[in-house]
């Protein structure tokens, strides 16, 4: 209790109070796992793979780029496929990938083609990559096709990193804000409340709301934990179903700021694969069927899967894409229609790919520069409001001395 003396109030009691407040207000730092979890959650929700992340039973995107880039360089230098795989076996880091390379070399020694050996390991070599290798083997342009694969993988890696970075940034800020608010509510606020009630100060309305929230969380920790775990498990189970992924991906495409960016990323990825396959000699129907497998969004996959029978019946691609104006903008279908009329469809696919890639780079730069001050301001307002609600009773106690 602060005791008044003849000269005012007891300075030792006030100093003791200040030391206690400072000790209680120490908030632990947020670990790196929060940032990593935010990034993983954001990339699952939007259907965009995490750049450089190990796939299940596979290799990372960066390791795949290095593999095809080195393969193209060595085969262009005149090395045989057997010699190339022997070199790769010595340099391969993941043990699983080394065993895969050994098995592929043995298959090739037994008479299988490179594309056939790759097809046995779809987690490492996707269908669009295998199909491009087939074209290189048939046409005798395997070094050129390997260079093309490496270039396409590099472009996709760069764009995916930009999109994930633009999406993960606000998610990280949100995670930090929620974590800081939770620490203050659970650890700091109850002890501050003891001081306030001890000195009999009047508690303001914002502080009373925070105290009620903190008291409820402290009184029912098992129930809240079980409810949060059940909600998380239910959400994950729902998102692992095809309907759940479709619902989540459809909602993401409707986001006011990130929806157009994600849509352009999927379009760039689809048309890049379509351009590579069709320009190499694959039929349009098969090119569309393989290219749609490179798109991670279920909404796009479903729309493109429905296009197969229509294309098989002889309908042009522009007419098929025009049935989904929200997924394929009108200017895109018009460019494809021009390519169909002039017989330069492969060139049009290349123009469309370049357009969306430039649009993604431009938008990600603008979004980061615009979102940063807004998110910092929101973070300051929320955390500052909570801190003000916590320390407002302390100022009232000091004012009564």
């Amino acid at each position: 209790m602060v005791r008044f003396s003849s000269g005012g109030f007891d300075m030792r009691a006030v100093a003791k109070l200040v030391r206690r407040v400072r000790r209680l207000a120490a908030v632990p730092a947020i670990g790196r796992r929060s940032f990593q979890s935010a990034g993983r959650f954001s990339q699952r929700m939007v259907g965009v793979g995490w750049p450089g992340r190990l796939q299940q039973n596979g290799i990372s995107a960066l390791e795949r780029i290095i593999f095809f880039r080195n393969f193209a360089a060595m085969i262009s230098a005149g090395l045989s496929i057997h010699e190339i795989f022997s070199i790769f076996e010595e340099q391969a880091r993941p043990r699983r990938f080394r065993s895969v390379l050994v098995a592929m070399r043995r298959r090739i020694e037994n008479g299988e083609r490179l594309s056939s050996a790759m097809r046995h390991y779809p987690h490492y070599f996707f269908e669009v990559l295998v199909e491009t290798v087939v074209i290189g083997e048939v046409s005798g342009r395997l070094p050129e096709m390997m260079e093309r694969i490496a270039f396409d993988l590099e472009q996709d890696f760069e764009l995916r990193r930009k999109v994930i970075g633009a999406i993960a940034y606000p998610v990280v800020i949100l995670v930090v804000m929620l974590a800081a608010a939770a620490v203050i509510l659970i650890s700091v606020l109850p002890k501050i409340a003891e001081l306030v009630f001890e000195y009999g100060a009047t508690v303001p309305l914002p502080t009373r709301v925070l105290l009620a929230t903190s008291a409820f969380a402290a009184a029912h920790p098992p129930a809240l934990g079980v409810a949060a775990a059940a909600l998380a498990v239910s959400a994950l189970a729902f998102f692992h179903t095809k309907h759940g992924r479709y619902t989540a991906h459809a909602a993401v495409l409707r986001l006011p700021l990130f929806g157009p960016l994600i849509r352009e990323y999927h379009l760039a990825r689809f048309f890049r694969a379509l351009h590579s396959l069709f320009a190499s000699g694959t039929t349009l129907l098969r090119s569309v069927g393989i290219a749609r497998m490179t798109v991670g969004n279920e909404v796009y996959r479903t729309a493109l899967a429905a296009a197969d029978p229509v294309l098989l019946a002889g309908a042009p691609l522009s007419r098929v894409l025009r049935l989904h104006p929200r997924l394929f903008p009108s200017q895109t279908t018009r460019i494809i229609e021009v390519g169909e009329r002039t017989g330069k469809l492969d060139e049009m696919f290349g123009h469309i790919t370049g357009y969306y890639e430039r649009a993604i780079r431009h938008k990600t730069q603008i979004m980061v520069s615009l979102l940063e001050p807004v998110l910092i301001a929101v973070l300051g307002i929320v955390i500052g409001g909570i801190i003000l609600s916590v320390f407002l009773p302390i100022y009232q106690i000091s004012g009564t001395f």
Side-chain angles (χ1 to χ4, degrees):
M1 178 68 80
V2 179
R3 295 182 177 86
F4 286 88
S5 64
S6 59
F9 50 84
D10 190 348
M11 292 298 298
R12 289 177 297 179
V14 174
K16 183 179 179 181
L17 174 63
V18 172
R19 285 195 299 270
R20 291 178 65 184
V21 171
R22 287 178 178 175
R23 186 167 58 252
L24 295 175
V27 179
I30 308 296
R32 293 183 181 179
R33 294 183 180 179
S34 299
F35 300 100
Q36 297 172 352
S37 301
R40 288 194 293 267
F41 175 76
S42 62
Q43 62 93 16
R44 288 194 192 102
M45 285 294 294
V46 302
V48 181
W50 186 262
R53 180 176 177 266
L54 282 174
Q55 305 290 338
Q56 184 180 4
N57 299 326
I59 55 178
S60 69
L62 187 59
E63 290 168 337
R64 190 175 290 107
I65 291 172
I66 295 173
F67 172 84
F68 280 100
R69 180 62 70 190
N70 292 341
F71 199 109
M74 287 187 285
I75 198 171
S76 298
L79 275 70
S80 65
I81 296 180
H82 174 78
E83 292 173 329
I84 293 173
F85 272 90
S86 298
I87 295 174
F88 278 139
E89 290 170 17
E90 298 175 358
Q91 299 177 349
R93 292 299 181 189
R95 294 183 179 178
R96 281 184 183 173
F97 190 43
R98 185 181 296 119
S99 62
V100 167
L101 293 174
V102 171
M104 289 178 61
R105 178 175 55 80
R106 291 174 180 173
R107 289 179 179 275
I108 293 172
E109 290 174 350
N110 291 332
E112 289 191 23
R113 289 189 173 186
L114 175 61
S115 57
S116 177
M118 287 181 172
R119 209 180 294 273
H120 290 282
Y121 306 96
H123 289 294
Y124 295 85
F125 306 101
F126 307 137
E127 184 65 25
V128 62
L129 307 181
V130 176
E131 189 66 23
T132 307
V133 173
V134 171
I135 296 169
E137 292 172 336
V138 173
S139 62
R141 298 181 297 156
L142 187 58
E144 179 184 344
M145 292 297 102
M146 287 294 186
E147 287 283 355
R148 187 164 201 159
I149 290 174
F151 176 77
D152 289 343
L153 290 175
E154 288 172 353
Q155 291 293 107
D156 181 68
F157 181 82
E158 179 188 354
L159 292 181
R160 186 169 45 188
R161 185 174 56 183
K162 290 182 178 296
V163 173
I164 289 295
I167 296 173
Y169 183 72
V171 176
V172 168
I173 297 297
L174 179 62
V175 170
V176 172
M177 184 173 61
L178 293 177
V183 170
I184 294 174
L185 290 175
I186 297 174
S187 301
V188 179
L189 192 59
K191 298 177 182 179
I192 296 291
E194 294 178 2
L195 293 176
V196 174
F197 293 142
E198 179 181 350
Y199 292 104
T202 303
V203 181
L205 178 61
T207 308
R208 289 202 302 269
V209 174
L210 293 179
L211 285 175
T213 305
S214 176
F216 179 80
H220 307 87
L224 291 176
V226 171
L231 182 62
V233 171
S234 302
L236 289 176
F238 179 70
F239 291 143
H240 274 81
T241 64
K242 187 175 182 178
H243 176 68
R245 288 193 303 271
Y246 185 94
T247 303
H249 292 171
V252 166
L253 292 177
R254 298 190 186 98
L255 292 176
L257 187 61
F258 299 103
L261 177 65
I262 297 169
R263 186 182 299 112
E264 289 175 351
Y265 169 75
H266 289 304
L267 288 172
R269 197 172 189 182
F270 170 73
F271 281 108
R272 186 192 305 113
L274 187 61
H275 174 241
S276 297
L277 293 168
F278 188 72
S280 301
T282 309
T283 63
L284 180 61
L285 179 61
R286 181 162 178 78
S287 297
V288 173
I290 297 175
R292 78 162 180 264
M293 299 173 63
T294 64
V295 181
N297 190 281
E298 289 293 335
V299 179
Y300 275 95
R301 283 196 174 190
T302 303
L304 292 170
D308 286 350
V310 183
L311 291 174
L312 188 61
L317 180 62
S318 59
R319 185 185 304 174
V320 174
L321 301 183
R322 198 175 288 116
L323 299 175
H324 308 280
R326 293 185 177 181
L327 302 180
F328 302 94
S330 59
Q331 66 267 23
T332 301
T333 56
R334 289 175 182 175
I335 294 174
I336 295 175
E337 188 176 359
V338 171
E340 292 169 342
R341 291 178 179 177
T342 59
K344 298 181 179 180
L345 196 55
D346 56 337
E347 295 183 12
M348 297 300 106
F349 290 154
H351 293 325
I352 294 172
T353 303
Y355 166 77
Y356 283 119
E357 289 177 349
R358 290 190 297 271
I360 291 171
R361 294 188 183 97
H362 180 66
K363 283 189 176 181
T364 50
Q365 293 176 354
I366 294 178
M367 285 176 60
V368 172
S369 58
L370 290 179
L371 282 176
E372 185 173 3
V374 175
L375 292 173
I376 292 176
V378 172
L379 179 63
I381 292 172
V382 174
I383 301 300
I386 295 176
I387 293 176
L388 182 61
S389 300
V390 169
F391 286 98
L392 191 58
I394 305 300
Y395 293 138
Q396 290 183 350
I397 293 175
S398 300
T400 59
F401 293 155

